[in-house]
Amino acid sequence: MDEKQKVANALAQALPDMDVAEIEDKIERPKDAKNGDYAFPTFFLAKTLHKAPQMIAQELVKKIDMQGFDKVVVAGPYINFFLDKAEVGSDILKEILNDPENYGNQDLGHHANVTIDYSSPNIAKPMGVGHLRSTMIGEAVARILEKVNYNLIRIDYLGDWGTQFGKMMAAYKMWGDQPEIQKGLKEDPIDTLVKLYVKINTEADEHPEYTDMGREWFAKLEHGDEEAWRLWHWFREMSLQRFQRVYDMLNVQFDSFNGEAFSAQKMEEPIQLLRDKGLLKESRGAQIVDLDKYKLPPLLIIKSNGTTTYITRDLATALYRKRMYGHAKSLYVVGADQETYFRQLRMALKEMGFNWWDQITHISFGLMNLNGSKMSTRRGNVVSLEDVLNDSIDLARKQIAEKNPDLKNADEVAKQVGVGAVIFHDLKNYRRNSVNFKLEDVVKFEGETGPYVQYARARAESILRKGGIRDFSDVDLTKVGDSAWDLISFLSQYGEAIKRAADNYDPSVVAKYALELAKKFNQYYAHTRILDEDEGQQARLALTQAVSDVLKSALNLLDVQAPDEM
């Protein structure tokens, strides 16, 4: 139980007609510590109790059980709670130390199924650094939701269908037999296919027939042409092997790689349902769904040439996922530029009569810019995510060699720090904000970085190794001292941070919590001789262990490793 819940429970005894959760929602944290640790306003009770707020506060104080509080006082219309720091601090540390892995767990989800669609790179292209956003926001959201007891089904909805693959097939057929292309396809097939894709897009300005050729090849694919399918399978197989290298570095795993091609085989059902409901209308030879009553653009379901669109496949996907997984939520981690598209998808499902349309949630995010420039595969200015991760690992290795040249497992720690730095740099930002990526700003051991948090945790572990104690079951935790209260109080707010992150699908809440906890611990370390051999030493070591445990837990929610030494 955290401090806020303790206050809410005490108030619940004095307010039997109010729900504990409702009381907890009203509790505030005073800006000035002189006014207590928590405050409860009584303005809202004046109307129902027909009394002045100050009088209500005075009457309620008399009914509150004082156990666990140093004092509870009336300050005008507020009831101010001063916690018994020794007793409450001891309880908080015990809760963490008794079960560190489950500290912060909550049962918001009741083990309901949640599908989460993220990463979703296009095949026949390497994952660019821009793919980091969807991949890591999605993975962190999944981990946070698991922490509050949802059952997550992770889906990598591969971009493996559409006219762009027709273009790539056309490019391969035109230039694939050239010696340098053949050599490149053997050495690095994905990068070579990208060069072909960039070439056909660049030259299509002068040769518009190239675009027509791309459409023709995609039409062949849709109609089951043997050669088109052979090329498509080859593109997909090579791509998955390349993607897996990156996912292994990021410690990301999926339950399904069913992409657009899978959904393309299931489009007859939504199209027929739209027809049966009288929702399909003809417009300039195409078939559309009018969403004007929702003030949304119409949905293009079937083009005038008879081919389908993304939305047709996404409708089929939505139907399949609901039937397959029985989800309570269906989450899509996709860029903010697709907000209108997902509103269209939701409203189309609503028009089709599905009462679960509102389970579809778009978790949007801002752009990833590289040194201020937007990236585009079409023009070839994409930086490989794998290269960025390797560069970050190299930079971490150099810094570790300078700081701790005798570190035994330096290469493994460099991987944990380098990859963690890239992930943390992304997730510390509110997801809807754009992120500018500069590697030299990412791998720093000071400032608001992943390595700063990792280093604080490694420092705690170093102190614990010197202290020589890991079992704190018989330690008097009340001896930790008043100077530790700010740190202990912040530890108790971990569950609040997790709930806020889960409610808003916002990993930056956890990242900011981890940064602040690391900062508070470093301040405590700077002003407190933790290892001094006095009656409070073991309690201070217990606090250090609790900080280490919570930092590790927070980093794990962000999919960042927590090395014991750095």
Side-chain angles (χ1 to χ4, degrees):
M1 184 192 302
D2 64 24
E3 306 161 47
K4 195 173 182 181
Q5 288 173 322
K6 188 182 286 289
V7 174
N9 287 344
L11 282 162
Q13 295 174 14
L15 292 165
D17 295 331
M18 278 188 74
D19 182 76
V20 176
E22 187 183 356
I23 293 172
E24 189 172 348
D25 192 51
K26 300 284 186 185
I27 295 169
E28 301 171 4
R29 189 181 288 275
K31 292 180 181 177
D32 190 339
K34 293 177 183 176
N35 293 324
D37 298 295
Y38 289 93
F40 182 73
T42 57
F43 304 101
F44 73 99
L45 293 168
K47 189 174 181 180
T48 53
L49 297 179
H50 307 292
K51 294 178 183 177
Q54 186 169 353
M55 184 180 293
I56 294 170
Q58 289 170 345
E59 290 178 357
L60 289 176
V61 163
K62 296 173 184 177
K63 301 176 184 178
I64 290 172
D65 183 351
M66 293 292 292
Q67 186 175 352
F69 301 105
D70 185 37
K71 59 181 177 177
V72 181
V73 299
V74 173
Y78 286 90
I79 302 173
N80 290 345
F81 291 80
F82 294 78
L83 296 166
D84 182 331
K85 293 178 174 54
E87 182 183 331
V88 174
S90 175
D91 289 344
I92 291 167
L93 292 179
K94 282 177 185 174
E95 187 178 354
I96 298 170
L97 296 169
N98 286 344
D99 193 2
E101 288 188 9
N102 291 315
Y103 184 65
N105 284 14
Q106 294 153 72
D107 187 16
L108 304 182
H110 311 297
H111 210 59
N113 284 351
V114 173
T115 59
I116 183 164
D117 176 329
Y118 62 105
S119 193
S120 306
N122 289 333
I123 66 168
K125 300 174 189 176
M127 289 176 71
V129 71
H131 284 103
L132 181 73
R133 299 232 69 195
S134 174
T135 305
M136 296 323 305
I137 291 169
E139 179 62 24
V141 167
R143 289 174 179 233
I144 289 164
L145 290 179
E146 284 174 333
K147 187 78 173 167
V148 296
N149 200 23
Y150 283 98
N151 180 47
L152 272 292
I153 297 106
R154 292 165 166 83
I155 299 169
D156 193 356
Y157 187 66
L158 296 175
D160 57 4
W161 201 251
T163 53
Q164 68 267 39
F165 301 111
K167 271 189 179 180
M168 195 164 281
M169 290 174 189
Y172 176 76
K173 283 295 182 181
M174 280 193 288
W175 304 303
D177 58 355
Q178 295 175 3
E180 67 272 18
I181 298 297
Q182 285 293 313
K183 183 171 182 279
L185 288 169
K186 288 179 182 176
E187 294 175 355
D188 196 334
I190 299 302
D191 282 355
T192 305
L193 287 173
V194 170
K195 287 175 185 175
L196 289 174
Y197 183 69
V198 170
K199 180 178 172 68
I200 196 170
N201 275 295
T202 304
E203 298 189 9
D205 293 337
E206 293 183 12
H207 297 276
E209 69 271 17
Y210 288 176
T211 301
D212 294 333
M213 291 168 64
R215 291 196 187 101
E216 289 169 10
W217 270 103
F218 180 58
K220 287 182 180 181
L221 185 64
E222 281 207 305
H223 293 104
D225 179 82
E226 187 176 335
E227 176 63 2
W229 273 97
R230 183 188 70 80
L231 289 172
W232 179 85
H233 279 293
W234 179 53
F235 291 168
R236 194 177 194 275
E237 184 182 344
M238 292 297 101
S239 302
L240 280 171
Q241 290 178 15
R242 181 72 173 265
F243 297 157
Q244 196 58 52
R245 292 205 318 239
V246 178
Y247 291 141
D248 287 345
M249 293 176 80
L250 294 172
N251 192 29
V252 169
Q253 297 177 333
F254 291 95
D255 300 298
S256 168
F257 287 97
N258 287 336
E260 286 185 70
F262 178 81
S263 299
Q265 315 309 312
K266 301 180 179 299
M267 289 186 295
E268 288 184 12
E269 182 185 7
I271 292 171
Q272 190 59 50
L273 283 170
L274 289 167
R275 284 201 182 102
D276 293 344
K277 293 276 185 180
L279 296 170
L280 271 188
K281 297 181 179 179
E282 189 168 329
S283 175
R284 298 178 184 178
Q287 298 286 308
I288 67 163
V289 175
D290 187 350
L291 296 175
D292 190 53
K293 73 177 183 180
Y294 299 107
K295 297 182 180 179
L296 289 169
L299 276 181
L300 178 60
I301 301 297
I302 302 174
K303 297 177 185 177
S304 56
N305 66 359
T307 57
T308 55
T309 64
Y310 285 115
I311 195 70
T312 324
R313 295 187 282 282
D314 273 333
L315 286 169
T317 301
L319 298 180
Y320 171 79
R321 288 180 185 170
K322 182 61 178 178
R323 189 176 294 134
M324 179 71 180
Y325 302 114
H327 56 65
K329 299 172 185 283
S330 180
L331 311 179
Y332 293 76
V333 185
V334 182
D337 57 343
Q338 297 296 309
E339 284 182 355
T340 298
Y341 177 87
F342 278 99
R343 286 202 296 271
Q344 289 174 298
L345 176 63
R346 284 159 56 92
M347 292 307 102
L349 289 167
K350 185 178 182 180
E351 287 293 288
M352 293 166 77
F354 295 110
N355 60 8
W356 46 267
W357 63 270
D358 58 348
Q359 293 179 359
I360 305 284
T361 300
H362 174 208
I363 300 175
S364 61
F365 58 86
L367 288 171
M368 168 76 81
N369 297 317
L370 191 66
N371 297 327
S373 300
K374 184 179 176 181
M375 295 165 285
S376 167
T377 311
R378 289 173 62 84
R379 298 300 173 187
N381 60 327
V382 163
V383 176
S384 160
L385 177 53
E386 188 174 3
D387 289 346
V388 167
L389 293 173
N390 282 322
D391 288 347
S392 185
I393 291 168
D394 288 342
L395 190 53
R397 187 180 287 112
K398 290 175 185 175
Q399 294 196 51
I400 289 168
E402 292 173 7
K403 288 180 175 292
N404 191 354
D406 298 324
L407 186 63
K408 293 177 182 177
N409 57 337
D411 283 343
E412 181 59 29
V413 173
K415 289 177 185 176
Q416 294 175 342
V417 173
V419 173
V422 173
I423 294 171
F424 195 93
H425 176 74
D426 188 343
L427 296 181
K428 74 177 182 181
N429 297 283
Y430 175 52
R431 58 178 168 78
R432 288 181 57 83
N433 295 344
S434 293
V435 174
N436 190 38
F437 186 91
K438 289 183 180 179
L439 188 60
E440 59 270 23
D441 294 337
V442 171
V443 191
K444 287 183 177 178
F445 281 64
E446 61 281 329
E448 295 188 344
T449 67
Y452 174 79
V453 179
Q454 290 172 313
Y455 194 68
R457 197 259 171 182
R459 168 177 279 163
E461 286 295 303
S462 174
I463 293 167
L464 288 163
R465 284 192 295 274
K466 291 174 184 174
I469 177 173
R470 292 285 185 164
D471 182 358
F472 301 98
S473 54
D474 295 326
V475 173
D476 183 356
L477 300 175
T478 62
K479 301 291 187 184
V480 72
D482 288 347
S483 64
W485 174 246
D486 184 50
L487 182 55
I488 295 174
S489 177
F490 195 71
L491 283 170
S492 76
Q493 296 169 40
Y494 184 44
E496 272 181 57
I498 291 169
K499 184 179 186 303
R500 204 159 62 248
D503 288 344
N504 297 292
Y505 307 116
D506 183 10
S508 74
V509 174
V510 175
K512 288 181 172 70
Y513 176 88
L515 280 167
E516 186 64 20
L517 180 57
K519 180 181 175 183
K520 286 182 180 295
F521 176 68
N522 285 336
Q523 289 171 341
Y524 176 72
Y525 171 79
H527 296 99
T528 307
R529 298 175 67 86
I530 297 173
L531 292 170
D532 269 6
E533 295 183 5
D534 56 26
E535 66 172 6
Q537 186 207 56
Q538 292 189 350
R540 293 192 297 272
L541 286 170
L543 170 59
T544 304
Q545 180 70 66
V547 169
S548 176
D549 290 338
V550 175
L551 282 175
K552 183 177 182 179
S553 174
L555 287 172
N556 180 62
L557 289 181
L558 304 173
D559 191 20
V560 175
Q561 299 290 310
D564 292 340
E565 294 183 73
M566 283 175 66

